[in-house]
Amino acid sequence: MAHLVLGYPSLAESLHTAEAYINAGVEILEVQIPFSHPTADGPVITLACQEAVAQGISMQDCIEAIRALRARFPMQEIMVMSYVNRIYAYGFQRFVTEMKAEGVQHLIVPDLPVDLSSALGSADATVKFVPVLAANTSDARLEKLLNMGFDFFYLMSDFKITGSGFSLHPRLQAIVAKIKSRPMPPRIGIGFGISTPAQARLVLEEADVAIIGSALIQAQKAGKLEEYLESLQDVFQA
Amino acid sequence: MIMDLTATRYRDLILDSKGGFGTPNPQPYGGSYIPEVLLPGLQEIAAAFDHFKYDAGFLADFSDTLRTFSGRPTAFTPLPRLTEAIGGAQIFLKNEGLNHTGAHKITHCIGQILLAQRLGKQRIIAETGAGQHGYATAAVCARFGLDCTVYMGKKDYERQRPNVYWMELLGTKVVAVEEGSQTLNDAVIAAFKDWVANPDSYYLLGSAVGPHPYPAMNTFFQKIVGEEIRQQCEETTGRLPDYCVACVGGGSNAMGMFFDFLDEETVQLIGVEAGGRGTKPGEHAAKVKRGKKGIFEGYHSYFLQDEDGNIAATHSVSAGLDYCGVSPILAFLADEGRVQFETASDEAALAAVKKLAQLEGIIPALESAHAFAYAFELAAELPKDKIVVVNASGRGEKDLFITMRHFQEDSLIAYAQHLLQK
Ligand SMILES: Cc1ncc(COP(=O)(O)O)c(C=O)c1O
C-alpha cells in the first residue's frame, strides 16, 4: 500500500504520483486529505500536508481528484485517510456517501476511535473504517474490534510517528496471530517507518500489506520516485 | 457519554460526566478523539482519577502540598483605589499570582503529579504556551524527582524566555517546536507525538482541554480557587460575588474560578477571550465568540478554523491565550447560557496591566489582564453595591520583556546593550 498527500506538491502532480504508484503495481493506493495539523504524522507528511493546505485544497477538490482516479482505474483499490476535523467540517454522512459513490471501501481516520464512527452519522456498512492499532492494544480491545466487523487492520510497526525509522515491536506477532486465528480473518497492513525493500519484505512475513508513506514522499522530493518504485518491484510481485 | 440533563446541578453533571458534556449533536462536547495507541494511557489516567478523586488520603496529600509547596490559600484583595477611580461596582481580586511559580497552573500540576506518582510513572511530558504551565510542571517534577520534557512553540520559547530559563534551571528539557505557527497548539501536538512514541510516560496536560479525563480532571483540581473565593468573599463582604470574571485560554483558570458558583443563580460568570488586534482570522484567539464546532487535539469543542476545517492561526499579545481551542466544558456552558463570553484587545490588556500596577500595586500576567480590561468596563456600568471579582490567574513578572517593550522600549534596548557589553 502506497501513500500520498492529495495536493502535494500540487493537485495535478499528486494525481501523476498516484498513476506512477498504480502503474508500478501497488495493491492499495492510500490518499490522504491534507490537514493543517496532522497530529499523528511525522515531519515529512506534516510538511506535505501544510504545503497542500497552503494551496487551499478543499474537500471538493479532493473528492474530484478521487473521482478522476476512479474513472481512469476502475479496479484499483483506494483507501482514503483524513483527520477527523476535515470530515466533521464537510459533514460525516455527506463524506461517507461521496466515498461510497467513488468506490472507496476503507477510511482511515487516525484521530477518530473506530467505535465512534457510527455515532457520528456514518452508518453505511459498505464504507468501513480501519482501526489503527499499536502493540499496546489490549487483548480485550482487540477482541472487541474483531467482533465489530472491521475487515482491514492497520498495525503500527512500533511506538512512533510516521517516517521515523523502522523497527517491529515484538508484540505485533501475537496481535497478528490473534487476528489471523479468526474464521474469516481481516486483512492486516503494517506501516510507520518502512523505507527499504528489505523492511517491506520483513513486514510481509507477518502482514498481508506493507504500507509505505514518508519514504515515497522523500523519494519524490529528491526526484527519485521512479527509481524508488523500481527498487520495490519484487515487493509488489510478492 | 450522554449527560443526564434532567439533573440541574452543573457541578455534578461535569464531575460525573465520563467526558461528554451536553447533548449529542451529533456528539456531546469533549470526548476522546485520539489515536488508538493513546487509548490505554488515557484509560489508565481516567481510571486513576475516578478512583483518587474520592480517596481521602489522596485529597489530604493534595491540599497539604497546595499549602506547603504552593502557599495556598491565595489572597482575596479589595481594590478600593481602582473601585473609586472607575466609580461603579466594588472590584476584588483573587491573587492566583501568589502561587509558587506565579500562576494558577501549579494547582493542576500538583494534582496530576500526585496521580502520576501513584501510577508509578517515571517520565513526564508537558506542553506550554506562556511557559507558566511548563514552569509549574518543571517545579513539581523536580520536587517529586521525576524526569520532565516540556514542548514549547518556538515563538513562545522566544517571547517567554525567562520561563524557559527557569524550566531548564529546574532540570527540565525544553524543546522548541518549529512546526506550524510555533505556538501552544504546535506544542500540544508535539507533546502528543512524544506520548505516541513513549506510551509509558505521563502526559501532564496544562488546561481544561484535550481528551477525557483532562478537562474534568483539571477542573476538579482547580475548583479550589472558587471554593476559596466563596469563603473569602463571604468573610469580607458578607455575601457572594455578583460577577466572576476570568480570562480564557484553554479554560483552566476560568473553570477553577467558576466551578463552585455554577449552581448559584445570582452569580454571573464571564469568560474573557483574547480579542488580539482585530476580528479577522489570525488576528485574535476568540474561539467561543468567533470559532465554530470542531474536533481537534482529542476533543469536541469550539475551534478557530477555516471553512474546510483546517485550524486557523491565532494571535494574542499573551502567549497563554494564543490558542485555537477552548475547554469543552466551557463550550457546553456557553451554549447553555451559563457562562457569558466577552473579548479584550491586546491594547486594552496592556492598559489594564498599567492601571492595576499604578492604582493597586499589583502587576498581573498579560493573560489575566484581559479579564481586568473587561471587568473595568463592566464595573463602570454597574451600581456601587455590586461586587465584581476578577481572577488574577498569574503575576506579570514573566512578561517583563513584552510589557517593557510596550511601556519603556528605550530602557529595554539600553539594558540589552548593557548586558551585551559585559
Ligand atoms: C497566568 C495565566 N493565565 C491564564 C492562562 C490561560 O490558560 P487557562 O485558560 O487554561 O487558564 C495562562 C496560560 O498559560 C497563564 O499562564
Side-chain angles (χ1 to χ4, degrees):
Chain A
M1 171 154 131
H3 163 280
L4 62 82
V5 175
L6 279 177
Y8 173 80
S10 68
L11 204 54
E13 281 173 87
S14 60
L15 286 177
H16 281 136
T17 308
E19 277 188 52
Y21 290 1
I22 294 169
N23 290 333
V26 300
E27 184 179 331
I28 308 171
L29 174 71
E30 181 191 359
V31 298
Q32 176 165 354
I33 313 280
F35 178 52
S36 56
H37 293 80
T39 45
D41 279 302
V44 174
I45 294 177
T46 298
L47 219 62
C49 276
Q50 282 163 351
E51 282 186 36
V53 166
Q55 297 169 46
I57 304 290
S58 69
M59 187 60 99
Q60 209 52 50
D61 293 333
C62 294
I63 290 168
E64 276 161 28
I66 295 166
R67 188 169 299 146
L69 284 171
R70 175 52 73 221
R72 287 211 48 196
F73 304 100
M75 304 308 289
Q76 176 63 42
E77 182 172 357
I78 301 175
M79 290 196 189
V80 171
M81 176 201 162
S82 174
Y83 284 88
V84 66
N85 201 49
R86 288 218 61 164
I87 307 180
Y88 188 78
Y90 188 77
F92 254 81
Q93 191 52 57
R94 185 174 164 215
F95 180 72
V96 170
T97 307
E98 296 274 14
M99 290 300 104
K100 187 180 173 183
E102 302 315 328
V104 171
Q105 283 160 3
H106 291 97
L107 296 177
I108 303 170
V109 187
D111 53 349
L112 179 70
V114 284
D115 334 42
L116 277 177
S117 50
S118 56
L120 277 162
S122 54
D124 198 311
T126 56
V127 183
K128 287 198 159 63
F129 283 76
V130 173
V132 182
L133 307 183
N136 61 351
T137 296
S138 70
D139 287 344
R141 176 78 182 147
L142 183 57
E143 191 65 32
K144 181 181 175 202
L145 295 176
L146 283 166
N147 289 334
M148 285 172 74
F150 297 109
D151 62 359
F152 192 102
F153 280 69
Y154 187 143
L155 305 184
M156 288 166 59
S157 55
D158 208 337
F159 296 114
K160 60 173 59 127
I161 49 176
T162 56
S164 52
F166 179 75
S167 51
L168 270 183
H169 193 278
R171 195 172 167 257
L172 281 190
Q173 271 187 340
I175 293 179
V176 168
K178 195 168 163 78
I179 298 174
K180 285 192 175 158
S181 71
R182 288 269 146 165
M184 295 250 295
R187 280 187 297 167
I188 299 169
I190 293 181
F192 282 46
I194 302 177
S195 65
T196 69
Q199 290 164 355
R201 275 192 294 270
L202 196 69
V203 158
L204 289 173
E205 285 174 19
E206 303 293 332
D208 305 298
V209 178
I211 303 162
I212 307 185
S214 303
L216 280 161
I217 296 179
Q218 263 164 335
Q220 186 182 13
K221 262 195 181 152
K224 292 184 175 153
L225 185 59
E226 307 272 291
E227 279 166 72
Y228 185 57
L229 287 170
E230 184 62 36
S231 76
L232 290 167
Q233 265 313 308
D234 62 323
V235 177
F236 294 145
Q237 310 305 322
Chain B
M1 289 257 295
I2 296 169
M3 296 176 90
D4 175 12
L5 288 179
T6 54
T8 52
R9 298 186 61 84
Y10 285 118
R11 286 178 297 181
D12 296 343
L13 281 180
I14 291 164
L15 287 187
D16 299 337
S17 69
K18 298 273 171 251
F21 310 100
T23 45
N25 59 344
Q27 282 289 291
Y29 291 116
S32 199
Y33 297 87
I34 38 107
E36 185 86 27
V37 57
L38 295 178
L39 198 67
L42 280 166
Q43 283 175 341
E44 182 186 29
I45 298 173
F49 171 58
D50 274 346
H51 173 75
F52 286 111
K53 74 183 174 196
Y54 300 119
D55 182 275
F58 178 86
L59 295 176
D61 213 1
F62 177 53
S63 43
D64 193 51
T65 312
L66 289 179
R67 188 171 54 81
T68 58
F69 189 60
S70 191
R72 294 209 83 90
T74 57
F76 181 78
T77 313
L79 304 176
R81 297 189 66 214
L82 192 70
T83 299
E84 198 185 314
I86 287 173
Q90 303 160 56
I91 310 174
F92 294 80
L93 162 164
K94 175 64 171 166
N95 202 339
E96 286 296 294
L98 292 177
N99 275 298
H100 180 42
T101 68
H104 70 291
K105 298 281 181 189
I106 193 133
T107 305
H108 57 233
C109 291
I110 290 173
Q112 288 196 61
I113 207 79
L114 293 173
L115 207 62
Q117 205 185 31
R118 279 162 174 75
L119 288 170
K121 299 293 177 182
Q122 304 292 329
R123 176 173 180 266
I124 303 294
I125 309 161
E127 83 297 335
T128 196
Q132 287 306 115
H133 174 66
Y135 179 16
T137 305
V140 297
C141 285
R143 170 79 178 77
F144 290 91
L146 297 174
D147 197 52
C148 181
T149 301
V150 170
Y151 291 90
M152 191 168 188
K154 182 128 178 286
K155 181 173 162 193
D156 293 338
Y157 185 93
E158 275 156 9
R159 66 176 156 171
Q160 302 278 249
R161 199 61 197 231
N163 277 341
V164 174
Y165 172 67
W166 298 134
M167 287 186 266
E168 287 176 347
L169 186 65
L170 288 161
T172 279
K173 182 176 160 203
V174 185
V175 181
V177 180
E178 309 227 357
E179 258 126 45
S181 52
Q182 308 186 333
T183 55
L184 181 54
N185 184 19
D186 308 285
V188 173
I189 294 172
F192 269 114
K193 287 178 179 176
D194 182 318
W195 206 19
V196 167
N198 302 285
D200 290 336
S201 295
Y202 181 98
Y203 181 12
L204 205 160
L205 199 147
S207 189
V209 299
H212 180 63
Y214 294 107
M217 179 165 69
N218 282 345
T219 296
F220 176 81
F221 292 136
Q222 288 289 351
K223 72 183 171 60
I224 180 86
V225 178
E227 289 164 359
E228 286 178 8
I229 293 174
R230 175 189 288 271
Q231 197 192 343
Q232 293 167 320
C233 193
E234 272 178 338
E235 279 167 14
T236 316
T237 71
R239 63 189 187 86
L240 294 182
D242 297 301
Y243 296 85
C244 284
V245 186
C247 69
V248 176
S252 63
N253 89 88
M255 279 313 302
M257 181 191 218
F258 298 164
F259 187 82
D260 203 54
F261 299 111
L262 283 175
D263 301 308
E264 300 286 356
E265 279 172 25
T266 62
V267 184
Q268 293 208 43
L269 307 172
I270 304 171
V272 185
E273 301 186 293
R277 54 180 169 231
T279 54
K280 291 206 213 67
E283 293 183 339
H284 60 86
K287 30 268 165 170
V288 176
K289 288 291 263 195
R290 295 192 236 291
K292 62 173 189 164
K293 286 179 200 174
I295 299 174
F296 186 54
E297 286 175 354
Y299 64 106
H300 180 203
S301 186
Y302 286 104
F303 291 93
L304 290 168
Q305 54 183 312
D306 67 15
E307 286 301 298
D308 286 322
N310 286 306
I311 300 305
T314 52
H315 163 79
S316 170
V317 66
S318 70
L321 304 187
D322 200 350
Y323 173 62
C324 62
V326 65
S327 176
I329 306 177
L330 284 171
F332 161 62
L333 294 169
D335 284 7
E336 289 277 302
R338 181 64 190 97
V339 175
Q340 175 191 334
F341 278 82
E342 301 293 343
T343 59
S345 68
D346 286 355
E347 212 178 315
L350 282 159
V353 169
K354 203 168 210 173
K355 196 161 187 170
L356 193 63
Q358 298 187 346
L359 285 175
E360 296 289 354
I362 294 172
I363 301 170
L366 273 169
E367 289 78 11
S368 325
H370 287 73
F372 283 102
Y374 178 74
F376 296 165
E377 281 176 36
L378 171 75
E381 303 292 315
L382 292 171
K384 291 189 187 334
D385 63 338
K386 293 291 179 191
I387 297 172
V388 175
V389 179
V390 187
N391 197 16
S393 52
R395 59 178 182 243
E397 279 83 345
K398 72 177 171 66
D399 300 320
L400 173 65
F401 298 114
I402 299 169
T403 52
M404 197 170 172
R405 180 178 297 281
H406 281 274
F407 298 142
Q408 285 191 18
E409 187 160 18
D410 293 346
S411 315
L412 178 62
I413 292 167
Y415 182 52
Q417 280 164 350
H418 169 75
L419 287 178
L420 284 174
Q421 275 159 15
K422 293 254 161 169

